[in-house]
Amino acid sequence: MYWYLAVQSVELTDSVLRVLRPALFNAKGTIKREIRQGISQLHQIGQLYLVTRKEAQELVIVAVAGRNLLHAVPSLIRYAQQQQCGSIRWHTRNPEYIRHGFANLPAQLVEKRRGIFHDEYVYRLVLNGR
């Protein structure tokens, strides 16, 4: 039996923004607006903060920061399934951090976007073989 960490909705506060800052890059204003408008949601799983939004049948991780991603992943997958999502997608500039958190799962690199200063990697984890 596996113990899932709770996926809790949390308020956007200055202290949460400080934790999320490394993951927001230049999109801080956009993400704040999307959370306030209900386009994106802010969650806490243990010591990890996530900004997510649902696009069709896919849960998109907009930003993730904090600690213990590896321990939060099973709860995140369960949350995505509860939201009727068939996959989880995320964009990252730091694929090693995310790859470690999704270790032993069949996440696939679906796109690599070359940038002037940073490359962006897009990953997808298909749930339940769909």
Side-chain angles (χ1 to χ4, degrees):
M1 182 171 167
Y2 187 83
W3 294 99
Y4 291 96
L5 298 170
V7 178
Q8 301 173 318
S9 293
V10 293
E11 294 293 320
L12 185 62
T13 63
D14 288 340
S15 62
V16 171
L17 278 172
R18 277 193 293 280
V19 174
L20 283 171
R21 185 178 5 203
L24 299 179
F25 302 107
N26 295 328
K28 179 180 172 182
T30 302
I31 292 171
K32 283 172 60 174
R33 186 182 77 252
E34 286 185 358
I35 291 170
R36 290 193 174 115
Q37 292 177 345
I39 297 166
S40 294
Q41 292 73 42
L42 177 61
H43 309 283
Q44 183 177 4
I45 304 174
Q47 297 176 349
L48 193 73
Y49 289 98
L50 301 105
V51 179
T52 65
R53 72 171 171 261
K54 189 173 176 185
E55 292 182 3
Q57 298 303 308
E58 188 164 59
L59 184 68
V60 179
I61 301 174
V62 177
V64 60
R67 300 178 56 126
N68 298 322
L69 174 63
L70 184 63
H71 299 294
V73 166
S75 299
L76 179 60
I77 290 170
R78 187 169 128 189
Y79 174 78
Q81 291 169 329
Q82 289 170 343
Q83 300 301 308
Q84 306 301 311
C85 293
S87 61
I88 299 173
R89 185 181 83 228
W90 63 94
H91 300 231
T92 183
R93 293 184 185 175
N94 187 354
E96 293 303 317
Y97 173 69
I98 300 295
R99 191 176 301 136
H100 172 73
F102 285 83
N104 303 317
L105 293 172
Q108 295 183 340
L109 176 65
V110 293
E111 186 178 354
K112 181 178 178 182
R113 299 176 182 168
R114 296 251 181 226
I116 296 171
F117 301 108
H118 304 281
D119 292 340
E120 180 180 19
Y121 302 84
V122 181
Y123 287 87
R124 178 172 288 123
L125 175 66
V126 176
L127 306 174
N128 298 328
R130 289 190 249 164

